[in-house]
């Protein structure tokens, strides 16, 4: 298996798209302007929110996009496994922790599907997805919402063939 940040970045593996999402997550404005906590939990919340939006976009695409969604999830799981091991989690608890993270990602996918497909509130989804129980001030939440809306617009504006190789408009 290729690790998410190895040199191999062919489209079929999902690593190029995963790397593009990680690069988006590293945009300092999410932390400075939108008030996402620059903590392990905050970075995870942002990464899983961006992944959820990307997963939804892939699901709306053609065959080339739809077949990449599972590869993206595999990259996420492999990356979380590595991250948890680096944090000192051992084999007995590692599986449980990664399953919890995958469950958290799945709940974000469901939440964002309600926004994208059913017109639920972007603001409420942003608070629940990025800040959980401790949202910052209104200005930061508005900035977080605007940034996620912008990311979604870029995903929508990306052709499937570009998206799967990690080029987000």
């Amino acid at each position: 298996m290729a690790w998410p940040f190895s040199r191999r970045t062919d489209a079929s593996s999902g690593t190029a798209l995963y790397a593009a999402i990680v690069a988006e997550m590293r945009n300092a404005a999410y932390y400075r302007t939108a008030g996402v906590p620059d903590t392990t939990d905050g970075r995870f919340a942002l990464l899983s929110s961006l992944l959820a939006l990307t997963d939804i976009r892939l699901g709306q695409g053609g065959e080339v996009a739809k077949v990449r969604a599972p590869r993206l999830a595999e990259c996420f799981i492999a990356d979380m496994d590595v991250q948890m091991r680096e944090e000192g989690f051992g084999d007995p608890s590692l599986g449980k922790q990664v399953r919890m993270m995958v469950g958290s990602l799945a709940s974000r996918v469901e939440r964002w599907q309600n926004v994208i497909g059913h017109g639920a509130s972007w603001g409420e989804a942003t608070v629940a997805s990025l800040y959980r129980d401790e949202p910052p001030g209104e200005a930061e939440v508005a900035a977080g919402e605007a940034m996620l809306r912008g990311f979604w617009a870029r995903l929508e504006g990306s052709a499937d063939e570009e998206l799967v190789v990690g080029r987000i408009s």
Side-chain angles (χ1 to χ4, degrees):
M1 168 177 211
W3 293 105
F5 301 108
S6 68
R7 300 185 125 219
R8 185 174 165 236
T9 59
D10 61 81
S12 65
S13 72
T15 57
L17 181 54
Y18 188 77
I21 295 165
V22 169
E24 176 74 18
M25 179 203 74
R26 291 182 175 153
N27 178 346
Y30 283 107
Y31 306 98
R32 290 185 190 144
T33 307
V36 173
D38 192 7
T39 62
T40 301
D41 288 343
R43 290 185 295 273
F44 174 80
L46 179 56
L47 175 62
S48 56
S49 297
L50 297 171
L51 282 167
L53 288 168
T54 305
D55 183 72
I56 293 166
R57 168 56 185 84
L58 291 172
Q60 292 178 345
E63 191 64 24
V64 71
K66 288 179 181 174
V67 298
R68 294 317 187 277
R71 304 295 83 79
L72 191 61
E74 290 169 2
C75 289
F76 171 73
I77 291 166
D79 190 27
M80 292 303 101
D81 182 83
V82 169
Q83 298 300 321
M84 297 301 289
R85 288 180 191 278
E86 287 179 1
E87 290 291 322
F89 285 84
D91 286 333
S93 63
L94 186 62
K96 180 180 178 181
Q97 292 297 322
V98 172
R99 280 191 300 278
M100 287 174 45
M101 291 177 164
V102 171
S104 182
L105 173 60
S107 70
R108 281 179 172 85
V109 169
E110 183 178 337
R111 176 176 294 117
W112 287 108
Q113 283 175 331
N114 285 330
V115 172
I116 303 300
H118 304 292
S121 167
W122 273 87
E124 289 175 15
T126 298
V127 169
S129 197
L130 292 183
Y131 309 111
R132 293 181 32 173
D133 299 328
E134 300 179 30
E138 288 181 34
E140 290 87 357
V141 171
E145 178 183 339
M147 292 183 78
L148 290 176
R149 281 181 183 266
F151 182 71
W152 175 251
R154 290 173 38 223
L155 289 170
E156 283 190 308
S158 299
D160 291 352
E161 294 75 15
E162 294 295 307
L163 189 59
V164 299
V165 295
R167 288 194 284 267
I168 302 170
S169 296

